[in-house]
Amino acid sequence: MRAKRGDFVKIYITQKPDVSETEINIACKSYTDEIAEIISNLSLIDGTIGGKLGDETYFVKLSDILYFESVDDKIFFCTKDNTYETPMRLYKIEEKLAATPFSRISKSVIANLKKVRSIKIEAHGRLLATLHSGEKLLVSRQYVPEIKKKLGV
């Protein structure tokens, strides 16, 4: 397999019948954005996503995430208590979460529709979504029909 920078990536798989759970080890010269993205992608397998808070990476359950947001070419996801940074791109997150309650609501935000408490029609055909946490998110006009359909209104 070839990495983005032209380096070769070697993947070794060892089957061990006596192992109780799958373990993945990554050996690398340095922790790069590509390694961080691999970790984030792997974490989606068990319904979590990896995100950095300070100098630690946490694995957060998707059901705890309120929304993902792109700000200044960085991607963050917010829970009730914290905001984490993830190396994944917003379009990749949207692809990976297609079969979940997450939906794009604007160019820069993907929201967890299960966390929406109410919606209100705003000026210029937009919606204002209020989350159970009290946060308010603006739904862009182009996404309104799909969001209404998904919310059943």
Side-chain angles (χ1 to χ4, degrees), residues 69-76 90 108:
E69 184 173 22
S70 174
V71 178
D72 296 332
D73 290 327
K74 293 183 180 183
I75 308 301
F76 300 92
L90 209 56
S108 61

Side-chain angles (χ1 to χ4, degrees), residues 112-124:
N112 183 346
L113 298 183
K114 288 199 175 231
K115 302 294 183 180
V116 174
R117 180 177 63 206
S118 65
I119 56 172
K120 178 182 173 187
I121 297 173
E122 288 285 298
H124 308 294

Side-chain angles (χ1 to χ4, degrees), residues 84-103:
Y84 303 84
E85 184 177 352
T86 180
M88 293 181 72
R89 307 311 313 154
L90 209 56
Y91 77 93
K92 287 279 192 187
I93 293 168
E94 184 176 28
E95 287 173 4
K96 302 244 184 237
L97 300 180
T100 69
F102 287 86
S103 187

Side-chain angles (χ1 to χ4, degrees), residues 1-148:
M1 181 180 283
R2 206 172 222 333
K4 287 183 181 179
R5 294 184 181 168
D7 296 332
F8 284 96
V9 175
K10 297 177 185 176
I11 298 175
Y12 302 98
I13 299 173
T14 306
Q15 293 181 353
K16 296 181 179 180
D18 58 328
V19 173
S20 62
E21 58 184 35
T22 301
E23 180 180 302
I24 297 173
N25 295 301
I26 299 174
C28 56
K29 286 183 183 179
S30 63
Y31 190 85
T32 63
D33 289 342
E34 288 81 15
I35 299 296
E37 186 172 358
I38 289 168
I39 292 168
S40 288
N41 282 319
L42 287 171
S43 68
L44 282 174
I45 293 169
D46 68 355
T48 64
I49 188 165
K52 287 190 77 102
L53 183 61
D55 61 352
E56 291 186 66
T57 299
Y58 292 86
F59 298 95
V60 179
K61 291 189 300 186
L62 289 173
S63 60
D64 290 338
I65 297 173
L66 302 173
Y67 59 91
F68 293 86
E69 184 173 22
S70 174
V71 178
D72 296 332
D73 290 327
K74 293 183 180 183
I75 308 301
F76 300 92
F77 62 89
C78 298
T79 64
K80 180 181 169 195
D81 300 315
N82 292 304
T83 299
Y84 303 84
E85 184 177 352
T86 180
M88 293 181 72
R89 307 311 313 154
L90 209 56
Y91 77 93
K92 287 279 192 187
I93 293 168
E94 184 176 28
E95 287 173 4
K96 302 244 184 237
L97 300 180
T100 69
F102 287 86
S103 187
R104 174 98 51 172
I105 64 166
S106 70
K107 183 179 173 184
S108 61
V109 177
I110 296 171
N112 183 346
L113 298 183
K114 288 199 175 231
K115 302 294 183 180
V116 174
R117 180 177 63 206
S118 65
I119 56 172
K120 178 182 173 187
I121 297 173
E122 288 285 298
H124 308 294
R126 298 178 297 185
L127 291 177
L128 184 65
T130 302
L131 306 180
H132 291 288
S133 66
E135 283 191 75
K136 297 182 184 304
L137 301 174
L138 202 55
V139 180
S140 297
R141 189 174 54 218
Q142 76 183 79
Y143 298 99
V144 167
E146 182 180 346
I147 297 306
K148 281 183 163 182

